[in-house]
């Protein structure tokens, strides 16, 4: 029951209203009987400073942070975990009093855990990442930390791929190769492909009908990681399944990064179980999908 002792956790971003994080976290709050609520606060970039200072003063437990504030919040933190420090990206904040702002990045954990759950082994692997935005940055960092053999990076705007590559090279982390044209790469040489773009998303018909790799590629026996979770089964995942690839869907990553944030806010020893939450979110996504059709 909400009362005068109820504390608040919030998601901040712009836009942020579409997020499924409130469903995940309010479910977990109820299940673990915490006297707290999870709300969404959407504000424009020009209002960031004022809004962030307000949240800090009002005694919130913490925050989730989404686009475009992950780097801005990184700059405000008084403590950063290793992953947020190296990715310069904070998606989880825990306030301690109104002075200490602890920043974490749980996207990398969510990505790696989703792969490990499907028994992916990182040794001697060649990986192709498509995209060079925020999600790709976490993915590249995660794979570098696991010391995979090669990371091939493909992005619509080559300059952005180069910037991402240089960002990691400047911090002493290498083996990233930019791919400007898929014709220069054979799918036979790749064991993992990660889509970090909105290709496949329900946003518009042309995106929804596209796949991020050449349709002629055979994906048999590869690991295919899809970041998009609306729809749950994108064209890319459909192609992958029909060609006997091992698939990991965006829903897995969404849930895994969320439960790790929850563990941080409440100093839990273990990360909460994900099976029931995953089923709950899957149901909502399937209902949304029927509405989109
Ligand atoms: P972002 O920072 O805006 O980056 C978007 C990336 O996608 C850029 O590399 C961009 O290329 C590329 N792109 C955008 N539209 C494209 C198009 N029509 N065709 C080809 N490439 C396109 O976004 P992000 O945060 O990295 O997110 C990327 C995707 O991952 C989104 O769909 C997001 O919803 C999803 N995501 C899912 C999870 C999860 O938990 N499952 C977590 C994070 C993100 P340019 O550089 O050329 O603009």
């Amino acid at each position: 029951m909400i009362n005068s002792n109820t504390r608040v956790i919030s998601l901040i971003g712009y836009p942020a209203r579409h997020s499924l994080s409130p469903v995940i976290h309010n479910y977990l709050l109820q299940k673990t009987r915490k006297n707290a609520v999870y709300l969404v606060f959407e504000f424009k970039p020009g209002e960031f400073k004022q809004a962030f200072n307000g949240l800090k003063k009002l005694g919130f437990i913490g925050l989730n942070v989404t686009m475009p504030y992950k780097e801005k919040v990184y700059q405000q933190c008084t403590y950063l975990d290793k992953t947020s420090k190296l990715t310069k990206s904070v998606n989880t904040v825990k306030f301690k009093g109104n002075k200490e702002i602890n920043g974490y990045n749980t996207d990398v954990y969510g990505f790696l855990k989703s792969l490990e759950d499907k028994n992916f082994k990182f040794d001697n692997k060649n990986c192709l990442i498509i995209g060079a935005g925020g999600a790709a940055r976490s993915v590249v960092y995660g794979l570098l930390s696991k010391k995979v053999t090669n990371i091939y990076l493909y992005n619509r705007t080559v300059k952005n791929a180069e910037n991402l590559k240089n960002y990691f090279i400047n911090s002493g982390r290498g083996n990233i190769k930019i791919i400007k044209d898929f014709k220069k790469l054979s799918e036979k040489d790749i064991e993992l492909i990660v889509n970090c773009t909105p290709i496949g998303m329900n946003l518009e018909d042309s995106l929804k009908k596209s796949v991020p790799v050449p349709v002629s590629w055979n994906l048999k026996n590869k690991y295919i990681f899809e970041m998009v979770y609306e729809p749950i089964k994108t064209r890319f995942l459909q192609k992958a399944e029909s060609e006997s690839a091992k698939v990991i869907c965006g829903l897995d990553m969404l849930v895994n990064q969320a439960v790790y944030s929850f563990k941080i806010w409440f100093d839990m020893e273990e990360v909460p179980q994900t099976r029931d939450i995953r089923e709950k979110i899957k149901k909502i996504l399937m209902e949304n999908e029927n509405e989109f059709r």
Side-chain angles (χ1 to χ4, degrees):
M1 196 181 70
I2 292 177
N3 57 29
S4 51
N5 289 319
T6 304
R7 304 213 32 221
V8 182
I9 304 168
S10 93
L11 169 69
I12 59 167
Y14 187 80
R17 292 266 166 227
H18 61 283
S19 173
L20 289 167
S21 296
V23 181
I24 299 176
H25 289 297
N26 284 313
Y27 172 77
L28 278 172
L29 288 168
Q30 273 183 3
K31 192 175 157 189
T32 54
R33 297 176 167 272
K34 308 274 188 238
N35 190 2
V37 286
Y38 186 103
L39 303 170
V40 173
F41 291 99
E42 192 180 80
F43 46 82
K44 293 187 180 143
E47 296 160 344
F48 173 81
K49 213 171 170 188
Q50 228 181 342
F52 191 80
N53 284 337
L55 299 169
K56 207 169 64 179
K57 286 240 153 58
L58 289 172
F60 280 33
I61 293 174
L63 308 172
N64 268 149
V65 184
T66 188
M67 275 176 19
Y69 299 133
K70 289 184 179 184
E71 203 164 332
K72 273 200 159 94
V73 170
Y74 160 86
Q75 288 161 2
Q76 300 290 325
C77 291
T78 54
Y79 161 87
L80 292 161
D81 73 341
K82 189 179 164 202
T83 311
S84 60
K85 208 181 271 177
L86 289 168
T87 53
K88 287 197 175 161
S89 170
V90 165
N91 79 324
T92 303
V93 167
K94 182 172 177 171
F95 292 115
K96 283 197 171 166
N98 62 13
K99 288 227 168 66
E100 288 177 53
I101 308 168
N102 295 349
Y104 306 84
N105 176 316
T106 71
D107 288 334
V108 175
Y109 167 87
F111 169 67
L112 294 176
K113 176 77 168 63
S114 304
L115 275 172
E116 282 159 3
D117 285 348
K118 292 277 163 79
N119 295 317
F120 180 79
K121 302 281 180 279
F122 296 90
D123 292 349
N124 304 316
K125 290 296 188 296
N126 293 304
C127 311
L128 169 64
I129 314 303
I130 302 156
R137 194 194 290 206
S138 291
V139 165
V140 169
Y141 173 75
L143 292 174
L144 287 172
S145 71
K146 291 289 184 180
K147 299 190 168 45
V148 296
T149 306
N150 279 306
I151 295 175
Y152 299 103
L153 193 57
Y154 176 89
N155 191 47
R156 179 178 68 171
T157 311
V158 176
K159 184 82 194 123
N160 292 343
E162 281 167 355
N163 288 344
L164 184 59
K165 174 181 167 170
N166 290 338
Y167 174 80
F168 284 108
I169 294 215
N170 291 341
S171 62
R173 285 151 203 268
N175 57 345
I176 304 172
K177 298 180 170 71
I178 307 279
I179 300 296
K180 293 184 182 161
D181 185 344
F182 279 126
K183 287 188 193 123
K184 301 258 160 69
L185 189 68
S186 165
E187 82 269 36
K188 293 192 189 83
D189 299 330
I190 301 160
E191 283 93 16
L192 167 69
I193 305 176
V194 189
N195 178 32
C196 299
T197 75
I199 297 174
M201 213 170 170
N202 267 348
L203 273 178
E204 55 190 70
D205 232 31
S206 62
L207 268 185
K208 195 185 173 192
K209 287 181 179 154
S210 307
V211 290
V213 296
V215 277
S216 57
W217 278 16
N218 187 336
L219 305 177
K220 189 173 164 69
N221 292 337
K222 299 185 193 314
Y223 276 83
I224 302 299
F225 197 121
E226 174 65 276
M227 281 280 164
V228 173
Y229 54 82
E230 273 190 281
I232 301 177
K233 224 170 246 184
T234 58
R235 282 281 162 94
F236 189 33
L237 288 184
Q238 288 171 25
K239 174 175 164 60
E241 278 187 346
S242 71
E243 292 168 0
S244 307
K246 293 161 200 129
V247 304
I248 299 131
C249 60
L251 172 60
D252 294 324
M253 158 106 179
L254 178 75
V255 172
N256 279 321
Q257 58 82 26
V259 290
Y260 197 57
S261 297
F262 197 87
K263 173 185 181 298
I264 289 169
W265 293 321
F266 295 102
D267 287 323
M268 294 165 79
E269 296 213 339
E270 303 270 329
V271 175
Q273 289 296 312
T274 56
R275 192 180 297 168
D276 48 349
I277 308 163
R278 195 183 181 285
E279 284 313 305
K280 205 176 168 64
I281 300 297
K282 191 174 170 185
K283 200 167 160 238
I284 294 172
L285 288 172
M286 285 167 86
E287 281 164 11
N288 290 353
E289 223 162 286
N290 287 334
E291 270 174 37
F292 181 80
R293 279 200 185 112

